[in-house]
Amino acid sequence: MTKMFSKVLLTAVTAAVMLSACSKVPDQSKYIPKTAGVVLSINSKQITNKLVTNGLTMEKMFSALQDKDTANPAMKAWKDAENSGVDLQNNFFVSVVFNGSQQSYVTLTGGLKDAAKFEAYLKKNLPNFTLQKKNDFQYVWEADQEAVIGWNKETVIYLRGVDANKLKNGGLPGGMPGGIPGGGFDEDEDDSSAVDSAVATQVRYEATDAQATWVAEADHLFHLKKDESAADISAFHDLLKNNADLSVYVNPEPMYASQGAAIPANLKKLLEGSYYTGAVNFEKGKVVMDGVSYAGKDLAEIYKKYGKTESDVKLLEQYPSDNILGFMVYGFDFRMVGDIVKATGLDGMANISLRMYSGNQNLTLDDILNAFNGQMFFAASDLSVKKTPSTVLQGDSITRTDVKWVFAMKVGDKAAFEKVMSIPALQTFVSKQGNKYVLAPMMQQPGMPALNIDDKLITVANDQPTLDAYLGGKGKAGGLDNSFVSKIKGNPMGAYINFEKIAAAIPDNEIPESGKAIAGQVKDLLKDATAITHPFDGKSQHSEIVLNFRKQDENSLVQLVNLGTNVAKFVHEEKKADTSVVY
């Protein structure tokens, strides 16, 4: 980004994220086109209010980072941004727009409360400021960045191609690509001035083309019709009405459309009307993210067939430890993948490949999908970090990390499963013993995980004792929040991470003395995280991720900003100490 723009819009965006508008959709959203594949929305006003309420301001943060506020370049940039005419209390949008066969681009879109101030700011900070006008908006062309900064009375848009046009080898004077007349240069002839002139000419041509392209696109954005705007898409509209601190919107359709023939037409059709949205809110003692996956008409029909699968919590309950660091239980009907592949018309190709791979077994895609139940589980526990004597250097030691873990997946149709397990390629890795499959002799090496496969369950663990304890069924997962575990039942996915236990396992003597204070703050920040995905409701699937902090009586954003400020101050002081050392 340009220095000027980073002082205005990017400073505003950064401040909005560091710091932090009513239930209606923000006005600036009408300038986001439907071809936007990814959009990040930052609710500056709401985020700012959460910090100011807790006594945090930009001035206090900047003063904490520097010895003298008046000499702080970041503080000066913030003050300039406050007086730039940009509305720092409005929503900001960062969008990645996919333009089909044309070049894609990124836009930063924000509110403007004083267009005259903004123009004066640009004039003061841009060395080659040239004000231009097109229709009902004004703009400045940043030639070195090939970017347009355009604005009207209420909105400012920064637009730049994702990949800036670069000087290409072809098209230079001389009759041959690269400007090589007759196939080569005369070694005794100095053609540097001719080459420089040709390069300068090519750059001017490309800059002119880029300017015309991006100014025209900015003009298009400022005059989007309602049905051309992303705000006309209900998923995007509903997300912004939720008034979250941060919002993210993903539309895969324009991303695939930009790939042209590389993406099968049937896949594009299947994904029509499918979106993902996420709303992030900073609350007291936690960060909450609500995600929604929207399925289009064709994809929804597939989800309706298989989207009611529930995770099997019993796979978790028999885990043999009361010191669990994290787990995930997941119920997913693999046959859904088969329907998606068939809808794209690629199942024939998949079956041909599988038959070639499986030899005389004539394996098919349906065989693989029917072989597994789709109930999966993973857990890790008993983390240990300690120094042990080195086996290489006498008298030395190494830091060793040990953790127990188990992965399990249920078997589905037994006949299909036996067919899959009988293909020659698998015989290198597993061998059958009675009614079980174990690692083949050549795979039974030190450090290899333990494996057990029967007609009910595929189980892998870090070692044999952990595997035996899990399969024995006598273990009972302990130390978990049972109220959360009970919420998983009836849902397809539940996950959990215990940050406190992970942090407690890291020995203090592994942390440098100068960083122990900051490390202590980091270790004391987070408690745990939980995630739940709910069943498909016929239109969409909702999920919720909650990041819980140890300090429950203070807003999570305030805690993050305070930690970030302390880390930045620590880094600043470390750099000062390094520069003061005389070598």
Side-chain angles (χ1 to χ4, degrees):
M1 297 297 174
T2 63
K3 291 182 179 179
M4 179 285 310
F5 200 70
S6 66
K7 290 180 180 178
V8 189
L9 290 186
L10 290 184
T11 301
V13 171
T14 302
V17 175
M18 288 178 63
L19 297 174
S20 151
C22 42
S23 60
K24 71 171 186 175
V25 174
D27 291 337
Q28 280 65 39
S29 64
K30 66 185 180 184
Y31 299 106
I32 310 297
K34 277 186 175 179
T35 50
V38 181
V39 181
L40 172 66
S41 173
I42 303 166
N43 191 330
S44 303
K45 181 178 180 180
Q46 190 160 285
I47 293 176
T48 302
N49 287 342
K50 288 184 176 182
L51 287 179
V52 172
T53 300
N54 288 271
L56 276 178
T57 64
M58 288 298 293
E59 287 80 2
K60 286 185 178 181
M61 282 186 282
F62 285 134
S63 63
L65 297 178
Q66 299 289 337
D67 297 324
K68 296 180 180 179
D69 290 359
T70 55
N72 188 338
M75 182 57 139
K76 184 179 183 301
W78 170 248
K79 286 297 183 183
D80 287 345
E82 282 188 313
N83 296 316
S84 66
V86 176
D87 188 356
L88 302 183
Q89 293 294 301
N90 213 317
N91 282 62
F92 289 90
F93 295 90
V94 182
S95 310
V96 182
V97 181
F98 295 84
N99 232 10
S101 60
Q102 301 179 24
Q103 187 178 356
S104 301
Y105 59 89
V106 174
T107 64
L108 303 181
T109 307
L112 198 61
K113 59 183 180 181
D114 194 324
K117 275 189 176 182
F118 186 61
E119 179 183 333
Y121 182 83
L122 295 181
K123 188 173 184 180
K124 175 183 175 183
N125 288 276
L126 280 179
N128 298 313
F129 175 85
T130 302
L131 183 65
Q132 302 183 67
K133 189 171 184 178
K134 186 174 180 67
N135 294 326
D136 55 354
F137 73 96
Q138 295 174 298
Y139 72 91
V140 172
W141 172 247
E142 282 268 57
D144 59 333
Q145 300 292 320
E146 293 193 355
V148 175
I149 304 170
W151 67 96
N152 57 22
K153 292 182 179 180
E154 61 179 21
T155 301
V156 56
I157 299 175
Y158 175 92
L159 186 155
R160 183 184 178 187
V162 174
D163 296 309
N165 290 327
K166 297 180 179 179
L167 182 64
K168 299 179 181 178
N169 291 329
L172 295 181
M176 293 289 288
I180 307 178
F185 286 114
D186 186 341
E187 293 182 0
D188 296 328
E189 183 179 353
D190 183 5
D191 286 336
S192 60
S193 60
V195 173
D196 289 344
S197 175
V199 170
T201 300
Q202 180 73 2
V203 169
R204 286 198 299 272
Y205 288 156
E206 291 191 357
T208 301
D209 292 343
Q211 179 174 351
T213 297
W214 298 131
V215 170
E217 190 61 30
D219 187 22
H220 175 63
L221 295 181
F222 275 115
H223 302 93
L224 284 176
K225 297 176 182 177
K226 183 180 179 182
D227 61 357
E228 295 177 321
S229 170
D232 191 50
I233 298 174
S234 59
F236 185 66
H237 184 272
D238 293 345
L239 172 68
L240 297 183
K241 281 186 68 176
N242 285 339
N243 199 32
D245 296 338
L246 300 174
S247 303
V248 63
Y249 160 85
V250 179
N251 181 1
E253 190 176 342
M255 300 185 198
Y256 289 120
S258 68
Q259 300 299 312
I263 304 298
N266 289 344
L267 179 57
K268 294 179 185 177
K269 184 177 184 300
L270 183 66
L271 293 173
E272 284 181 4
S274 298
Y275 311 96
Y276 175 79
T277 64
V280 180
N281 285 290
F282 299 97
E283 301 177 7
K284 267 192 175 183
K286 60 185 177 180
V287 178
V288 178
M289 177 177 176
D290 292 308
V292 185
S293 296
Y294 295 85
K297 180 182 177 182
D298 292 347
L299 194 58
E301 291 303 314
I302 297 175
Y303 270 69
K304 288 175 185 177
K305 290 174 62 177
Y306 307 109
K308 298 293 184 181
T309 304
E310 299 178 7
S311 58
D312 188 350
V313 180
K314 291 181 180 179
L315 292 173
L316 164 66
E317 292 173 342
Q318 70 183 63
Y319 186 80
S321 176
D322 59 0
N323 191 26
I324 293 178
L325 305 171
F327 68 80
M328 182 178 75
V329 286
Y330 191 28
F332 176 76
D333 195 322
F334 287 168
R335 292 175 297 175
M336 184 187 299
V337 175
D339 279 22
I340 292 174
V341 173
K342 291 171 186 176
T344 63
L346 297 175
D347 53 315
M349 186 182 299
N351 284 325
I352 291 173
S353 299
L354 287 170
R355 289 191 182 101
M356 293 175 60
Y357 179 76
S358 61
N360 60 6
Q361 294 297 320
N362 291 321
L363 194 68
T364 67
L365 180 62
D366 285 337
D367 290 330
I368 294 178
L369 300 177
N370 290 328
F372 305 101
N373 177 277
Q375 295 289 345
M376 293 174 283
F377 159 75
F378 176 81
S381 66
D382 303 280
L383 175 64
S384 171
V385 181
K386 57 186 177 182
K387 284 188 178 294
T388 58
S390 173
T391 57
V392 179
L393 298 176
Q394 187 174 2
D396 198 4
S397 62
I398 59 173
T399 300
R400 178 173 175 172
T401 301
D402 291 318
V403 64
K404 294 180 181 179
W405 57 268
V406 169
F407 169 79
M409 181 167 67
K410 281 190 171 183
V411 172
D413 181 79
K414 293 182 181 180
F417 179 70
E418 288 292 337
K419 189 175 181 180
V420 171
M421 296 301 297
S422 298
I423 64 174
L426 284 180
Q427 306 312 306
T428 305
F429 304 100
V430 296
S431 58
K432 192 170 184 178
Q433 293 182 359
N435 63 346
K436 294 183 178 182
Y437 293 88
V438 297
L439 284 175
M442 67 171 293
M443 298 298 294
Q444 296 178 15
Q445 304 295 328
M448 287 293 292
L451 171 71
N452 185 85
I453 302 174
D454 56 32
D455 59 2
K456 293 185 176 61
L457 200 64
I458 299 170
T459 318
V460 189
N462 64 292
D463 59 22
Q464 195 64 44
T466 303
L467 180 63
D468 292 340
Y470 181 76
L471 293 177
K474 297 180 180 179
K476 186 174 182 180
L480 296 175
D481 182 351
N482 291 326
S483 63
F484 170 69
V485 174
S486 65
K487 291 178 182 178
I488 301 174
K489 296 177 180 179
N491 291 309
M493 193 279 288
Y496 167 82
I497 300 176
N498 190 313
F499 294 110
E500 286 183 309
K501 289 184 178 179
I502 295 173
I506 302 173
D508 287 340
N509 57 15
E510 290 293 309
I511 303 171
E513 192 64 36
S514 62
K516 283 188 176 180
I518 287 295
Q521 294 176 43
V522 173
K523 291 172 69 172
D524 289 340
L525 183 68
L526 299 177
K527 179 184 178 184
D528 56 31
T530 60
I532 289 181
T533 297
H534 300 279
F536 183 70
D537 62 11
K539 178 184 176 183
S540 60
Q541 187 170 39
H542 292 248
S543 60
E544 181 184 74
I545 300 173
V546 180
L547 185 63
N548 292 302
F549 287 61
R550 295 189 67 183
K551 190 183 293 185
Q552 292 288 298
D553 59 350
E554 188 174 50
N555 186 277
S556 56
L557 183 61
V558 175
Q559 296 183 54
L560 289 170
V561 170
N562 281 332
L563 176 61
T565 303
N566 290 338
V567 170
K569 186 175 181 180
F570 169 75
V571 172
H572 173 68
E573 291 174 348
E574 287 288 297
K575 286 183 178 179
K576 278 177 58 179
D578 287 343
T579 57
S580 65
V581 176
V582 178
Y583 296 95

